[in-house]
Amino acid sequence: NNYIKLNFKVIKTCINVANLHELKMEHYHMTVLIKEARNLRNTQTFGTQDPYVKVSLGKSKFKTKVHDDGGKMGKWNERFTLRCINPVTDKISISVRNQNVMSREVIGECILPCLQLGNGVPVDQWFDIYHKGSKKAGEISMMIQMTPAMPGQAPVSAPAPMQQPWCINLLVMCI
């Protein structure tokens, strides 16, 4: 009988993962210029509504100034920069609201997937906003641009680097 003798040995290998979080946590800057809104749904019974815009992306949240007595229109021309951690799953939320003494009622909103805005070219257009998901509530003019963050900048939400290397045992066949 001819038998082949196989020898195995275990090799311990270690990988330094101190900077692994930076490789997995590529992030982008989303610059949003909120210009104006038109044909807004009227949410106010008496007087003229005072629209403003709330912008959110992950943990980043911004709010424009209130356009006093804007009514069915609003003008802001305000720029914000937000952090997009995962452009595949992250979405930017734009909510137009009425600043009222009694409440902060939503006039309309839109949610935009970051992936559709991720080629670095500014998107400058009117976006439809909706009330309760299906009723058109007006339009908002914005310029949005998503660009990679500068090299060497770690994302704010990145986990702390691991202090110890990650080690595994490999079973290797020796001939």
Side-chain angles (χ1 to χ4, degrees):
N1 289 337
N2 291 334
Y3 292 99
I4 298 174
K5 184 178 179 184
L6 299 175
N7 292 320
F8 293 94
K9 70 179 184 177
V10 175
I11 299 174
K12 185 176 182 178
T13 185
C14 297
I15 301 168
N16 186 353
V17 291
N19 295 325
L20 187 61
H21 71 285
E22 291 177 12
L23 298 175
K24 290 186 175 182
M25 299 286 291
E26 288 244 2
H27 66 287
Y28 299 82
H29 289 156
M30 181 76 69
T31 303
V32 181
L33 173 62
I34 306 290
K35 296 179 179 182
E36 61 183 313
R38 65 184 178 198
N39 305 320
L40 296 176
R41 178 177 77 90
N42 191 4
T43 63
Q44 192 155 324
T45 307
F46 300 106
T48 307
Q49 65 186 8
D50 306 313
Y52 67 97
V53 181
K54 282 181 77 171
V55 179
S56 63
L57 174 60
K59 294 181 180 180
S60 301
K61 297 178 190 329
F62 294 98
K63 181 180 129 179
T64 66
K65 294 177 182 172
V66 174
H67 182 161
D68 291 322
D69 295 326
K72 292 188 171 196
M73 298 173 46
K75 288 195 184 230
W76 301 283
N77 289 316
E78 293 185 43
R79 185 181 311 270
F80 305 104
T81 301
L82 303 104
R83 186 172 303 247
C84 179
I85 299 296
N86 186 344
V88 175
T89 59
D90 286 353
K91 296 176 180 157
I92 185 168
S93 174
I94 310 293
S95 178
V96 181
R97 298 169 176 248
N98 179 22
Q99 171 82 31
N100 195 321
V101 177
M102 303 299 278
S103 68
R104 309 290 184 267
E105 189 168 354
V106 174
I107 295 170
E109 56 192 352
C110 65
I111 297 172
L112 306 169
C114 292
L115 190 59
Q116 293 178 352
L117 307 166
N119 64 2
V121 176
V123 176
D124 190 355
Q125 70 182 52
W126 287 92
F127 294 89
D128 290 338
I129 59 172
Y130 294 91
H131 177 64
K132 295 186 178 178
S134 61
K135 296 179 183 176
K136 188 169 176 184
E139 301 167 285
I140 185 164
S141 175
M142 299 183 290
M143 184 174 69
I144 304 173
Q145 182 177 20
M146 187 167 76
T147 54
M150 298 291 284
Q153 284 183 314
V156 170
S157 61
M162 297 173 69
Q163 299 301 317
Q164 298 295 322
W166 179 60
C167 299
I168 59 171
N169 291 326
L170 297 175
L171 185 60
V172 178
M173 182 175 65
C174 302
I175 300 176

